[in-house]
Amino acid sequence: QVQLVESGGGLVQAGGSLRLSCAASGRDFSMYAMGWFRQGPGKEREFVAAISWSGNTKYLADSVRGRFTISRDNAKSTSLLQMNNVKPEDTAIYFCAAHSRLTMKSNEYEYWGQGTQVTVSS
């Protein structure tokens, strides 16, 4: 069992920055790959970023590469998504997820947080 709780969402101006946090509890956090996904209004859930259990491998969606950064702090059982130079298209509910191996496929993640809303104004 792994429990995930996102925080840090809110309203931000285009071009600004926001940092999302995902706090994990339950099983050993350090043994799980972590992913971030988002779902905009009327859209499918899409991949944003993922990081391996060691932190040595990171994946970023083309839409956020160069603007977003994923990291993790295993000592604090936390995954972070740093969002820089945000755009209105980034408006969505953001979810963190955990899986035993690194993947970009949402249907392969077995543990999910409740989501946090990010709204980017023009």
Side-chain angles (χ1 to χ4, degrees), residues 24-103:
S25 62
R27 297 181 183 178
D28 188 359
F29 173 79
S30 65
M31 296 301 296
Y32 283 83
M34 299 295 299
W36 283 93
F37 296 81
R38 67 186 182 186
Q39 186 168 18
K43 300 176 65 177
E44 292 275 308
R45 184 174 297 181
E46 66 175 342
F47 170 78
V48 177
I51 186 169
S52 65
W53 67 268
S54 67
N56 291 331
T57 304
K58 301 176 182 179
Y59 296 153
L60 291 172
D62 291 341
S63 60
V64 305
R65 188 173 295 111
R67 300 187 298 118
F68 292 8
T69 301
I70 187 170
S71 62
R72 65 190 299 160
D73 185 341
N74 288 346
K76 298 180 179 179
S77 298
T78 301
S79 174
L80 303 174
L81 184 69
Q82 179 67 47
M83 306 168 61
N84 296 327
N85 191 25
V86 295
K87 303 176 180 179
E89 307 94 271
D90 296 323
T91 295
I93 301 175
Y94 283 72
F95 300 87
C96 69
H99 186 51
S100 59
R101 64 180 187 274
L102 184 64
T103 178

Side-chain angles (χ1 to χ4, degrees), residues 7-30:
S7 63
L11 177 65
V12 61
Q13 291 276 341
S17 297
L18 203 65
R19 187 179 71 172
L20 305 184
S21 298
C22 177
S25 62
R27 297 181 183 178
D28 188 359
F29 173 79
S30 65

